Amino acid sequence: MKDAIKELLSDRRSLNAAVLVTILYPCVYFGVHLIGWGNGMFSWWQTLLAAPVMGLVFWVFTSGFRRFRDEDVTPS
């Protein structure tokens, strides 16, 4: 288990992308509301709480998929 976590944390490209998603999520959400296209589904504090969750989910999926990108999965 510890080796898998170390391998996931060593993928700096996924971590950088997850931080970018965490920062951009509230910016896009509030920006859409400023131009009048928002749906008012979440309040500002719910959006700020959801941003790290979105970044975490993005990081887990991208780093998990990148672990297996070089494996050959074609049937023999």
Side-chain angles (χ1 to χ4, degrees), residues 2-48:
K2 287 186 179 184
D3 294 334
I5 293 173
K6 284 182 184 179
E7 188 175 338
L8 289 177
L9 287 173
S10 67
D11 187 9
R12 295 293 180 199
R13 188 172 168 198
S14 293
L15 282 173
N16 290 340
V19 168
L20 184 66
V21 166
T22 303
I23 293 169
L24 285 179
Y25 178 76
C27 293
V28 169
Y29 187 81
F30 294 135
V32 167
H33 279 283
L34 284 176
I35 61 174
W37 292 352
N39 59 3
M41 190 169 165
F42 300 111
S43 64
W44 64 271
W45 60 269
Q46 290 172 325
T47 304
L48 293 178

